[in-house]
């Protein structure tokens, strides 16, 4: 009987786990070769709070190989990246720009940073992009943010 209960319990956990497969963390690494470790990330708009974690696994200083994670609607990504270059160091981000849904600090090799933002700033099924706004990086350092319920 115990065994059946254990199996039933595991099955139930599996079902619940699938139904609530809510992903509330976006975790990315950047390196000295101007690359993120992922081309796409997935996150749930129903999360009360979404965490964006960035780790720079390289060793170059922020002024030479700075990385951040900026999330915008895909249609805004190029314009925001251009505005970021105009805004200049150290953050390379336009201040108070509503097109910026979330953005971490700019960091250098060996550093880590994270931020949180409300999940309801994203819409399930929407078209979002993450990128690094350091000058010259956004063309390569970018990927898709898939948003589920
Ligand atoms: Co970068």
């Amino acid at each position: 009987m115990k065994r059946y209960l254990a199996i039933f319990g595991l099955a139930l956990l599996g079902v619940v786990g699938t139904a609530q497969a809510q992903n509330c963390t976006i975790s990315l690494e950047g390196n000295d070769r101007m690359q993120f470790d992922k081309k796409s990330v997935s996150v749930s708009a129903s999360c009360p709070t979404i965490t964006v974690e960035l780790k720079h696994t390289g060793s170059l200083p922020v002024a030479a190989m700075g990385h951040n994670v900026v999330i915008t609607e895909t249609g805004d990504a190029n314009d925001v990246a251009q505005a970021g270059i105009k805004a200049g160091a150290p953050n390379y981000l336009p201040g108070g720009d509503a097109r910026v849904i979330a953005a971490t600090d700019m960091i250098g090799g060996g550093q880590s940073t994270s931020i949180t933002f409300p999940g309801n700033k994203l819409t399930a099924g929407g078209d979002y992009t993450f990128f690094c706004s350091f000058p010259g990086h956004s063309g390569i350092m970018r990927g898709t943010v898939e948003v589920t319920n």
Side-chain angles (χ1 to χ4, degrees), residues 34 36 65-68 106 132-134 137 141:
M34 209 196 295
F36 281 128
M65 188 55 69
H67 299 320
N68 64 358
M106 187 73 70
C132 171
S133 69
F134 193 88
H137 288 201
M141 295 190 79

Side-chain angles (χ1 to χ4, degrees), residues 122-145:
L122 300 171
T123 304
D127 189 2
Y128 301 96
T129 288
F130 70 86
F131 63 94
C132 171
S133 69
F134 193 88
H137 288 201
S138 68
I140 295 165
M141 295 190 79
R142 72 164 60 200
T144 303
V145 183

Side-chain angles (χ1 to χ4, degrees), residues 12 14-15 18 53 59 71-72 75 80 86-87 105-106 113 116 126 143 145-146:
L12 197 63
V15 169
T18 304
E53 300 173 340
S59 57
I71 297 173
T72 66
V80 170
K86 278 198 191 121
D105 285 345
M106 187 73 70
T113 190
T116 60
V145 183
E146 184 200 6

Side-chain angles (χ1 to χ4, degrees), residues 68-120:
N68 64 358
V69 175
V70 181
I71 297 173
T72 66
E73 290 187 16
T74 296
D76 291 333
N78 287 341
D79 288 346
V80 170
Q82 286 304 312
I85 292 169
K86 278 198 191 121
N91 290 322
Y92 297 103
L93 256 192
D97 191 318
R99 296 172 298 180
V100 176
I101 295 166
T104 71
D105 285 345
M106 187 73 70
I107 59 170
Q111 296 182 307
S112 295
T113 190
S114 71
I115 52 143
T116 60
F117 68 98
N120 63 15

